Amino acid sequence: MDLTPKRADESATEMVQVVLPNDANPLGFILGGTVMHLIDIAGAIACHRHTRTLLVTVAVDDLQFLHPIKVGDMIILRARVTCVFNTSLEVQVDVYSEETLTGKRMLTSRAFLTFVAIDRDGCRVRVAPLLVETEEERRICAEASARRAQRLRKKTVTLASES
Ligand SMILES: CC(C)(COP(=O)(O)OP(=O)(O)OC[C@H]1O[C@@H](n2cnc3c(N)ncnc32)[C@H](O)[C@@H]1OP(=O)(O)O)[C@@H](O)C(=O)NCCC(=O)NCCS
């Protein structure tokens, strides 16, 4: 396993596609579930590029759809690893709409996903550290660590409510 530290720039991913009628609800706007699927894919690609391992999605933070994206417009997803822990890592995925005829762009969603790296037997494996060099990168990673703590607290509460 290559555990050489990597920069977020090395795995940053941009996905662009046109919204087709098959992706849309009767109002002609992309389905929320389709956006969620694309967010998962874009986030996973960035994390695969960072870890070069198999991955499972373990958490997706609360998601909002700020503006509709209509058929014929483009959906753009930008994914960037924010922080790497031991066997898990967080990625931020920003979703934009782009009007095909005007180029007008709007942020429509921001999602934070956590992936866990596993091997072919499903056992967790360590992940290469993230090179955090600038003040901005340190801030982003600190915020990711705070979200992680919050998620793990929520998980404990959910598991406790089950028993
Ligand atoms: C991911 C999975 C293997 C983790 O197993 P687990 O027994 O819960 O593992 P642990 O509690 O020991 O945590 C393992 C790592 O995941 C992280 N993690 C676990 N649950 C988490 C959650 N709800 N949110 C964020 N991180 C979480 C832990 O912080 C830990 O990270 P670290 O190694 O970087 O410190 C297991 O929860 C699983 O298989 N979940 C289902 C995944 C799935 O099917 N996804 C959808 C299809 S891809």
Side-chain angles (χ1 to χ4, degrees), residues 40 55-59 84-89 114-116 118 122 124 148 151-152 155:
D40 195 26
L55 296 166
V56 287
T57 316
V58 71
V84 167
F85 307 106
N86 303 297
T87 63
S88 68
L89 68 170
T114 307
F115 289 88
V116 174
I118 53 167
R124 295 191 287 117
R148 174 177 182 260
R151 272 177 218 120
L152 295 178
K155 180 181 175 180

Side-chain angles (χ1 to χ4, degrees), residues 71-132:
V71 167
D73 285 348
M74 280 174 266
I75 176 167
I76 298 159
L77 298 104
R78 287 192 176 157
R80 191 175 175 86
V81 172
T82 54
C83 203
V84 167
F85 307 106
N86 303 297
T87 63
S88 68
L89 68 170
E90 187 197 71
V91 61
Q92 176 175 338
V93 182
D94 285 348
V95 184
Y96 300 87
S97 60
E98 184 181 309
E99 283 186 4
T100 306
L101 299 183
T102 63
K104 184 180 168 203
R105 235 180 224 214
M106 290 174 93
L107 178 72
T108 63
S109 297
R110 170 162 295 165
F112 295 97
L113 295 85
T114 307
F115 289 88
V116 174
I118 53 167
D119 64 18
R120 290 193 186 279
D121 299 321
C123 298
R124 295 191 287 117
V125 291
R126 285 198 76 85
V127 174
L130 184 69
L131 271 178
V132 176

